[in-house]
Amino acid sequence: EKEKIVLQLKAEVTDLKRQNRELEQFLHSANRDLDKSRAQIETDSSRNRELQMTINRIGASERKLNIRCKELLNENKALELRLQKMSNEIHTLTQSTNGNS
């Protein structure tokens, strides 16, 4: 009877050792995956920071271009007004020249 219990206990110990090895292998694999994930997250974070800096630079350039566009539109309006004024002066001069002949 004692031998039977000893054999049963040895079998349980052997099974527990096997389960322990399997668990250690699983944890080792899980830790490797976790390390890979952490490295990927760091890489992604770094890339995201680079992209954010690029987006900020593009935004700044866009704001400068918008300001320059407004300046050019204002210059264009001023030139159009000068052109209209000159055109009116030419028209007036032409009328007075025609009237004097």
Side-chain angles (χ1 to χ4, degrees), residues 16 19 44-46 51 61 72:
L16 286 173
Q19 289 179 28
D44 291 348
S45 293
S46 181
L51 288 172
S61 295
L72 289 171

Side-chain angles (χ1 to χ4, degrees), residues 11-25:
E12 287 181 25
V13 167
T14 301
D15 189 51
L16 286 173
K17 284 180 180 178
R18 180 190 54 76
Q19 289 179 28
N20 189 48
R21 277 192 308 273
E22 289 174 357
L23 184 58
E24 284 177 350
Q25 289 173 351

Side-chain angles (χ1 to χ4, degrees), residues 32-68:
R32 254 194 336 259
D33 291 346
L34 185 59
D35 288 343
K36 287 180 188 174
S37 293
R38 284 182 180 144
Q40 187 61 49
I41 287 170
E42 184 56 38
T43 299
D44 291 348
S45 293
S46 181
R47 181 70 181 132
N48 285 343
R49 283 190 294 275
E50 290 173 15
L51 288 172
Q52 190 59 52
M53 288 166 50
T54 300
I55 288 168
N56 290 343
R57 280 195 303 270
I58 290 170
S61 295
E62 186 179 9
R63 286 187 291 279
K64 287 177 186 173
L65 284 172
N66 280 335
I67 289 169
R68 185 64 184 136

